[in-house]
Structures are given as C-alpha cells and as structure tokens.
Amino acid sequence: MNLLDGLGDTILISVSSVVLGTILGVFVGLAMTYGQRWLRFIVRLYIDFLRGTPVFVLILACFYVLSVVGVDLTAFQAGVLALTLFCSSHVGEIVRGALSAIAVGQTEAAKSIGLTFMQTFVYVLLPQALRQILPTWVNTATEIVKASTLLSIIGVVELLLATQQVIARTYLSLEFYLFAGFVYFLLNFVIEQAGRAVERRISIP
Amino acid sequence: MSPILTISGLHKSFGELEVLKGIDLTMQQGDVVSLIGSSGSGKTTLLRCVNLLEDFEKGSIELAGQKIGYREDGAGQRRRLPEREVARQRSMTGMAFQQFNLFPHMTAIRNVMLGLIKTKNMPKDEAREVAQKWLERVGMAARSDHYPGQLSGGQQQRVAIARAIAMNPQIMLFDEVTSALDPELVAEVLAVVRDLAVEGMTMLLVTHEMRFARDVSTKVVFMHQGRIHEEGTPDEIFGAPKTERLQGFLANSEI
Amino acid sequence: MNYDFNFDVIWRNWELLAQGLGLGLFLAIVSIAIGCLIGLLAAFGMLSRHKILRWIAGGYVSAIRNTPILVLILFCYFALPQLGIALDKISSFIFTLSIYAGAYLAEVFRSGLVALPKGLREAGLAIGLTEFKIKTNIIIPVMFRNVLPSLSNNFISLFKDTSLAAAIAVPDLTFYARKINVESFRVIETWMVASMIYVVACYVIAWLLRRLEQRLAVPR
C-alpha cells in the first residue's frame, strides 16, 4: 500500500538524518568547545549559516546545487543530506551548551586523579552532557520528523507526498490530510514518550 | 633524607599579572605545611602549580626526585611534557578542592574507584575493596552507594578526600577544603584531615582555619603578593611573628 | 569545478527578491500578532480551573506542535474549502501560520505565567482590582516583558517558516528564488543569494529584537 511505503520512507529519512546529523553535530559541538580560535570561527559560521537558512531553502539548495557541481544525488539523498546538515547545527549547539555548562571543577578533579583528556571526556564530561542534552535532542528529532515532509516538494514519496497522491485519486483531501496529520502526531508522541522514559531512567538522584 | 617536594624559583603570571614571583619551598616526607595569607597572595595558585593544573613560566617543581610538568629538550628549550606523562605525574599528587568537585553522575564509591581503574589499571574488584577501605577511613562507608546530590557538603568533601588519597599519592594537596562548608560541617572534615596528618601523610594545605593550621602543621608559610613573606614552625609564626605584615594579617584573622 | 559564476540575472531580479522578502516579513509579523492573541487565550486555557478548558487548550497545543507545518498549510488551503472555508492563498497562509504560532506561543506564555510570583495577583486584589483587570493591567504586561527573548526566537523561526508559503505558490522569497532558478539555470548563484538573504535578515531581525528587548526590559 502506498501510504505504508510513504510512512516507511518518512521513518527511514528521519532516522538516517537524525543519526548522521547527531554524529556530525557532536564533532561540531566538540570543535566549538575545544577547538582553536580559527576552527571555532569556522564552525560558528557553519552553525549560523545553517540556522539562519530555512530548512526548505536548504533542501532546495542541496537538491538543485549539488547536481550542478557534479554530485549526483537522488532527491532522497539530497533531502537526507539537507536534514543531516540542519540536524548537525542544532546538535552542535546543544552539545556546546551542555559541555560548557559543566563546571570547570569537574575537569580539574578528573585531571587531579590522573585521567587523560580522552578519559576525562568519556567518563566524566560525556555522561553528564548526555543527560543534559537528551530532552533538547529528542525535541530536535521530532523537528526532523516534521521537516521530512518538506522532501515531498522535491518529489520524494514520503508519507505526505504519498498522501497527496492518494488524494489526487480519491479527492478525499479532508480525510487524508487529517489522517496524515494524525500519523505525524503519533510518531512524535511516541518519540517524546520514549525520550521521557529514558530521561527518567538515567536521571541522577 | 632527600626531600619529597622541592619547589625552586617558581614564577607564574596570568597575562600581565605576576601572581608567583619566585617561590622556593622544600618538604620532607611526613611534613604538613600550611600556606596562609590574604586572598590574592598566590597560595591557591601555588597549590595548583604543584598539581600541574596551572602552567608556570619559570622555575621547577621536583616531586620524589623527578621534575614535573616540563623537560628541557636538546637545545635547552623548556617544553611541556606530553599529556599522558602529565596525567601520570598528577596521579602522584592528590588534590582536594574547595568545591569538592565530585562527579555527580557516580555514587560515592564509583567516584573513588574511577581513578584506581583508569589510571592505576586496577581490576574492578580490587578497586572496590580499596575504595571501600578509604570510605571507611573517612567515615563514609555506610553511604558508599549514595550519589553526591544525596550527601551533605561535609560528607561530599570527605568522599572527595577519599577519592584523592585512594590513589596513594606522594603528597596530598588541600585547597581551602572547608571554605564552602556550613560552619557546623567544618569539624568533621578537619577531623579527617587531622587524622591523615597524624598518620604521617605528607600534606600541603591552603587554609583559613588558623587554629587548625597551628595544631597540625610542622611548618607554616605566610605568603604575600606572590612571595613567601615569612615561614617557620607554628609556634614561631603564630607565637612570635617577626614581620609587621604577618602581625597585621594575624590580628585580622580569627584565632 | 568549472563553473562560471554569473550573478547578473540575480541583480536583474533583485526587485522580485526584495518583494518576496518583504512579503515574508509581512506574513511573519501579521501571524505573530494574531498568534499572540491565540497563544494568550490558550495559555490561560491551559492554566484554567475548568477541566474542559484545560483539555481543549492542551489538545490544541500538542496537536499543532506535533504536526508538520507543511501538512497544516496544505490542509488549510486544500481541505478546508470542503468544509466551506475557502480563503485565498495569502489569507489561508496567514491563518495557518497564526494557528501554528499560537500553539508555540501558548507554551511560552504558559511558562511565563507560571513563573510569575503569586504576590502580583494578591497585590492586585489588595488594591481592589477585578481578576480581569489584574490580568490585563498587571499579569500580562509583566509576563510579556519576561518572555520577550523567547518571543524573539519564535518570530525568527516564524519568519523562516514563511519560506513554505512557496508550497502553495504565495510569491515569497523562496518562490522567486525557485522561479529565477528554473528560468535562468544560475542554480548556485540563486541559492547562495537566497540563503544569504535569509541569514542576513535573521541576523538583522535578531539584532533589532535584542535592542527592543533592552528598551522594554524592566529595569533591575
């Protein structure tokens, strides 16, 4: 069935963008926190540019521009790329915020018992940062699910375009738009509840 | 007997501001040295240099016969040691901080175990035993599974001291360990520090508790504007201060 | 990469782009104004003593916040006419964006209201004001100043969301950018310029709003 395939694509787009965007975003956040001045400057530009541009424009730009410069991506891939970049700018900002919110004393205490920078990061900073990041990160994930609808405009048959195709056949626009809206609501509701459950489990007493 | 800590000609600046203007200090095994002086005199910075938490520009610190933090390359240039080496040297000193700095996401015993496992490469079970032993020593055995957020300030500071001393350091550094505590919690922490002193632990401490400094120290060092202004036994420093500056400082401190 | 940059076609069309930008700003301003009203009502609804009101307001907020804005835009433009609510493109878009903004602002106002000290209302009661007058003369103005920073952020993301007006052929900046792209094939130039305009506009708006916040802030 058309709609089910569309839903599958929506989930695939969202999951891959969030996963790739988070990985990229962690590096962005690390560069913002620990990088040399020139690196921080470049990364700042990267974040500001991506956050100042509407996601829709980002998607159109990835879709049109890349083919001109000889990178042949399918609409699907171009869309995932755009969402990944978008996600990375958000995650980068969150990671930077979380890391810089951890008191300097934590790093010093870790150093004073002889931990290296890597060990300090992995055992002391990261676990604390992750807990702080989680709620906002979940929020970003739901943003990505919602933004994945924009891929319909460059012809990726995800849930929204699949819905529109069904509407074109049946003329039942009210019913099917409501249905699609409800499915998105459900997706995000599940993500939020899962996030809250994890948050409760890992909260520090 | 060769000294355990030798600081010679130590200079340290923050930008334009020179906070340490040539410090010389020697400590033998079992010495308990208290650094006193008004804020901004450089005592905490000195302590942090010994733990390599601060860089210093001139002079050297020798710990158990080994220069720490820097080496001289073939051309006689002073170079910072690689991070791994610095980390290893740091674990030869133990530091207790004013703000405790316990890791909030770990239970008390995990806080103590982390360094044992990661820097001493101790197996987990052994680390747990050692950690438990030290928590017992600071009177925190019953709370070993509590998170820092569930402990009072005094209890947190005792765990933090256990965390530092479990690493079996050559010297313990205490940076105003009671300053962040409510008055009624000061005594329990000082009792722990006193016990360690009595047992012969080598200690360098920055403190505002003059009576305590007088009780436990083998030597007291009065710092002023980045220099050692006067030093001596507790009786000399507190009983017969020679310089006007120290007399003034003591007059304004509660004893 | 062998690509000859040529911005001529962009400069020839700058008037269109400026028009598009202007329309986007207009859409955002109108929508946030209406959205503030909706948001205030919904916020008071969420904090109401009446279960039904809480339920309706809460349902509205979480339904809208969890639905993609593009679905809302298409729904309002294509599906609502079936219910006899037929609006032209621009009105329909403003309608959608206002409803959308209202849900986000409701959350902002709600937390702003919750954060207000209880004493404010009691002080109002003490000088004999009615509940309604307390709300309009004390609670809302104080809360409004406190939430200005979040309001600014919401306005900026609303402005970026106006790019979606292009999806129902409202001639905003993105719409013209696509048009120029298709007609001229100056792909890279078009999207470079379009996104730069958005980025710069966001910077300028953020700067202006920060100044506004400083002027309106309650002196402490």
Side-chain angles (χ1 to χ4, degrees):
Chain A
M1 197 179 114
N2 241 342
L3 287 179
L4 216 52
D5 290 344
L7 177 61
D9 264 18
T10 288
I11 293 174
L12 186 62
I13 292 164
S14 309
V15 171
S16 26
S17 308
V18 170
V19 170
L20 295 173
T22 301
I23 296 171
L24 185 59
V26 168
F27 284 107
V28 169
L30 286 177
M32 277 293 285
T33 321
Y34 302 115
Q36 305 273 321
R37 188 189 284 263
W38 62 269
L39 182 62
R40 289 209 307 272
F41 180 75
I42 293 175
V43 174
R44 180 82 261 167
L45 282 184
Y46 171 87
I47 291 182
D48 279 4
F49 179 78
L50 288 176
R51 298 198 64 155
T53 310
V55 203
F56 183 37
V57 174
L58 217 55
I59 290 170
L60 294 175
C62 282
F63 182 58
Y64 291 120
V65 172
L66 286 179
S67 64
V68 177
V69 298
V71 185
D72 258 330
L73 293 185
T74 61
F76 183 94
Q77 292 162 334
V80 169
L81 174 65
L83 292 181
T84 298
L85 294 175
F86 172 70
C87 181
S88 77
S89 70
H90 278 252
V91 172
E93 196 77 84
I94 307 171
V95 168
R96 184 197 62 79
L99 285 176
S100 53
I102 298 175
V104 198
Q106 291 290 305
T107 313
E108 293 185 343
K111 279 180 176 172
S112 78
I113 54 170
L115 299 190
T116 60
F117 176 77
M118 259 330 262
Q119 289 174 326
T120 303
F121 184 71
V122 172
Y123 300 110
V124 177
L125 301 180
L126 196 62
Q128 294 184 53
L130 282 180
R131 285 179 172 84
Q132 198 170 358
I133 286 165
L134 188 76
T136 337
W137 182 78
V138 167
N139 202 28
T140 304
T142 62
E143 288 297 321
I144 296 288
V145 171
K146 290 190 275 177
S148 73
T149 54
L150 303 180
L151 269 61
S152 66
I153 297 176
I154 55 170
V156 178
V157 192
E158 39 63 79
L159 181 57
L160 181 56
L161 188 52
T163 306
Q164 287 172 299
Q165 289 173 347
V166 173
I167 291 172
R169 282 203 307 272
T170 59
Y171 299 102
L172 296 171
S173 58
L174 196 64
E175 293 80 347
F176 278 101
Y177 275 129
L178 276 177
F179 177 72
F182 180 68
V183 173
Y184 282 111
F185 175 83
L186 224 55
L187 275 179
N188 285 333
F189 186 75
V190 169
I191 294 175
E192 264 165 25
Q193 291 306 314
R196 278 204 199 127
V198 176
E199 212 176 306
R200 270 196 301 274
R201 273 200 64 149
I202 63 170
S203 75
I204 304 170
Chain B
M1 202 167 75
S2 65
I4 194 122
L5 178 75
T6 312
I7 301 173
S8 35
L10 190 71
H11 284 258
K12 158 82 188 165
S13 307
F14 290 109
E16 295 283 286
L17 185 72
E18 195 174 25
V19 273
L20 295 179
K21 302 169 182 167
I23 301 285
D24 296 288
L25 183 69
T26 310
M27 285 176 72
Q28 302 289 338
Q29 179 106 42
D31 276 357
V32 176
V33 174
S34 294
L35 300 172
I36 61 171
S38 50
S39 57
S41 60
K43 1 181 247 304
T44 290
T45 309
L46 176 59
L47 207 66
R48 291 167 60 88
C49 283
V50 175
N51 203 15
L52 298 176
L53 286 174
E54 303 286 356
D55 298 330
F56 46 93
E57 293 88 36
K58 250 182 6 200
S60 67
I61 301 177
E62 218 170 285
L63 187 63
Q66 190 184 9
K67 281 220 167 74
I68 61 169
Y70 300 86
R71 67 179 172 82
E72 282 184 6
D73 66 8
Q77 285 281 27
R78 188 165 172 273
R79 294 201 182 278
R80 177 112 176 140
L81 288 170
E83 197 216 342
R84 189 163 283 279
E85 186 61 13
V86 169
R88 196 190 59 77
Q89 291 176 341
R90 268 199 197 108
S91 68
M92 290 162 54
T93 62
M95 176 105 164
F97 299 86
Q98 186 177 353
Q99 301 292 344
F100 338 133
N101 297 340
L102 286 180
F103 307 131
H105 58 300
M106 297 179 184
T107 57
I109 194 160
R110 290 253 157 215
N111 263 279
V112 183
M113 287 165 65
L114 184 68
L116 297 174
I117 296 172
K118 297 303 167 194
T119 30
K120 296 241 176 231
N121 295 316
M122 215 179 258
K124 242 189 182 156
D125 292 336
E126 195 187 336
R128 187 179 298 278
E129 258 172 57
V130 173
Q132 190 65 33
K133 186 190 89 190
W134 280 108
L135 285 175
E136 224 161 88
R137 288 285 298 280
V138 300
M140 290 298 297
R143 301 282 164 98
S144 61
D145 287 327
H146 285 53
Y147 284 88
Q150 301 167 315
L151 301 174
S152 75
Q155 292 172 329
Q156 289 189 52
Q157 190 60 290
R158 279 145 68 193
V159 174
I161 292 172
R163 175 176 70 181
I165 207 157
M167 300 296 292
N168 197 17
Q170 305 276 336
I171 179 172
M172 267 299 293
L173 311 169
F174 293 89
D175 183 11
E176 299 188 23
V177 284
T178 56
S179 297
L181 296 176
D182 292 334
E184 71 272 19
L185 301 177
V186 169
E188 59 183 83
V189 173
L190 290 185
V192 167
V193 181
R194 188 190 308 265
D195 282 352
L196 292 172
V198 170
E199 282 158 29
M201 184 83 215
T202 314
M203 311 201 298
L204 180 58
L205 34 101
V206 171
T207 185
H208 289 146
E209 303 279 340
M210 294 304 153
R211 190 175 319 192
F212 181 73
R214 185 168 192 168
D215 279 0
V216 301
S217 310
T218 54
K219 177 156 98 176
V220 178
V221 171
F222 172 61
M223 289 184 66
H224 182 70
Q225 294 186 344
R227 290 200 173 84
I228 293 182
H229 201 76
E230 191 171 337
E231 58 186 309
T233 64
D235 286 340
E236 287 166 359
I237 292 291
F238 293 106
K242 291 199 223 33
T243 59
E244 225 168 276
R245 189 100 45 206
L246 176 57
Q247 286 159 6
F249 173 76
L250 291 175
N252 286 322
S253 314
E254 302 165 42
I255 294 207
Chain C
M1 190 175 92
N2 264 328
Y3 188 91
D4 294 317
F5 280 94
N6 181 348
F7 286 94
D8 282 357
V9 63
I10 315 277
W11 305 144
R12 271 206 305 282
N13 286 304
W14 73 269
E15 228 165 312
L16 287 183
L17 293 175
Q19 266 175 36
L21 177 66
L23 182 61
L25 284 171
F26 168 76
L27 294 172
I29 289 170
V30 175
S31 306
I32 201 157
I34 306 174
C36 276
L37 288 178
I38 302 174
L40 267 180
L41 289 178
F44 281 118
M46 283 196 284
L47 297 172
S48 159
R49 266 170 294 142
H50 304 288
K51 209 174 181 172
I52 305 176
L53 280 181
R54 283 208 306 271
W55 203 83
I56 295 175
Y60 155 70
V61 170
S62 69
I64 299 294
R65 285 173 65 107
N66 283 306
T67 310
I69 181 163
L70 184 57
V71 173
L72 294 174
I73 293 169
L74 297 176
F75 178 82
C76 289
Y77 189 61
F78 292 113
L80 281 189
Q82 289 198 358
L83 296 175
I85 310 171
L87 297 170
D88 64 83
K89 278 182 253 174
I90 291 188
S91 316
S92 166
F93 187 76
I94 289 176
F95 177 76
T96 315
L97 212 55
S98 306
I99 302 254
Y100 183 73
Y104 282 82
L105 294 175
E107 198 52 58
V108 171
F109 293 149
R110 191 194 61 84
S111 35
L113 289 172
V114 171
L116 288 181
K118 272 206 163 46
L120 274 184
R121 176 174 159 273
E122 284 162 11
L125 288 175
I127 55 170
L129 295 177
T130 60
E131 289 282 355
F132 182 77
K133 281 197 170 148
I134 291 173
K135 282 197 174 67
T136 51
N137 287 297
I138 303 173
I139 303 279
I140 294 178
V142 174
M143 178 274 289
F144 225 79
R145 284 189 175 82
N146 288 344
V147 301
L148 271 177
S150 332
L151 220 54
S152 304
N153 288 339
N154 268 282
F155 180 73
I156 290 173
S157 51
L158 216 55
F159 167 65
K160 288 192 287 174
D161 286 334
T162 60
S163 65
L164 293 172
I168 53 172
V170 172
D172 76 326
L173 177 55
T174 307
F175 176 86
Y176 283 125
R178 275 179 99 186
K179 188 166 170 296
I180 297 170
N181 177 22
V182 173
E183 286 168 4
S184 69
F185 298 107
R186 306 312 307 181
V187 179
I188 301 180
E189 294 88 332
T190 312
W191 294 110
M192 252 168 76
V193 170
S195 46
M196 276 325 289
I197 295 178
Y198 274 111
V199 172
V200 170
C202 285
Y203 261 115
V204 173
I205 295 171
W207 180 76
L208 286 173
L209 288 176
R210 244 198 325 274
R211 291 200 47 179
L212 188 70
E213 279 162 30
Q214 281 160 5
R215 293 224 359 213
L216 291 179
V218 185
R220 287 174 210 272

